[in-house]
Amino acid sequence: QVQLVESGGGLVQAGGSLRLSCAASGRTFGTYAMGWFRQGPGKEREYVASITWSGGTTNYADSVKGRFTISRDNAKNAVYLQMNSLKPEDTAVYSCAADRIWSRLRAYQYEYWGQGTQVTVSS
């Protein structure tokens, strides 16, 4: 079983940057693909980015490609989301998720979830 805890959210002006972290418990963290999702006000949860268990392959939603970078450190049981050039439409609760199968793009396909961290981008 994997437990996930996000941190690093906050309030930032448009054009600014934030780095989200997701700390995982469990000795099997390195065998899980990881994803980041977000849910904005009045919106459905949407896929942001994902990374394979080794970190060798990443994937991004078109809306964040070129601005966000997902990475992981298996020695620290952590996955990160570096967010640059933030826009007001990036405002959402960001959650990390874990699953044993790579390339999952749907939230319901992920087995484990964190509680989320709020990111607010002001214009």
Side-chain angles (χ1 to χ4, degrees):
Q1 190 166 356
V2 178
Q3 293 183 324
L4 305 171
V5 179
E6 302 93 338
S7 61
L11 174 64
V12 63
Q13 289 187 333
S17 298
L18 280 176
R19 187 192 193 211
L20 305 183
S21 298
C22 174
S25 66
R27 291 175 290 179
T28 60
F29 171 74
T31 65
Y32 283 84
M34 298 296 297
W36 282 98
F37 287 77
R38 66 186 183 185
Q39 187 166 17
K43 299 180 180 180
E44 293 188 354
R45 183 175 286 177
E46 65 172 346
Y47 169 84
V48 175
S50 55
I51 189 167
T52 54
W53 66 270
S54 67
T57 303
T58 57
N59 189 60
Y60 298 91
D62 288 343
S63 59
V64 306
K65 200 170 294 183
R67 300 188 298 123
F68 290 12
T69 303
I70 188 171
S71 61
R72 68 189 296 163
D73 185 338
N74 287 343
K76 296 182 178 180
N77 275 18
V79 63
Y80 308 99
L81 186 68
Q82 177 67 44
M83 306 185 296
N84 298 328
S85 302
L86 282 162
K87 305 175 181 179
E89 51 263 44
D90 294 319
T91 294
V93 174
Y94 285 71
S95 300
C96 62
D99 195 80
R100 290 195 180 274
I101 299 177
W102 161 239
S103 72
R104 303 275 198 182
L105 301 182
R106 309 295 185 190
Y108 71 86
Q109 295 173 311
Y110 281 78
E111 185 173 6
Y112 300 107
W113 286 86
Q115 84 290 348
T117 185
Q118 176 71 46
V119 171
T120 303
V121 184
S122 63
S123 57

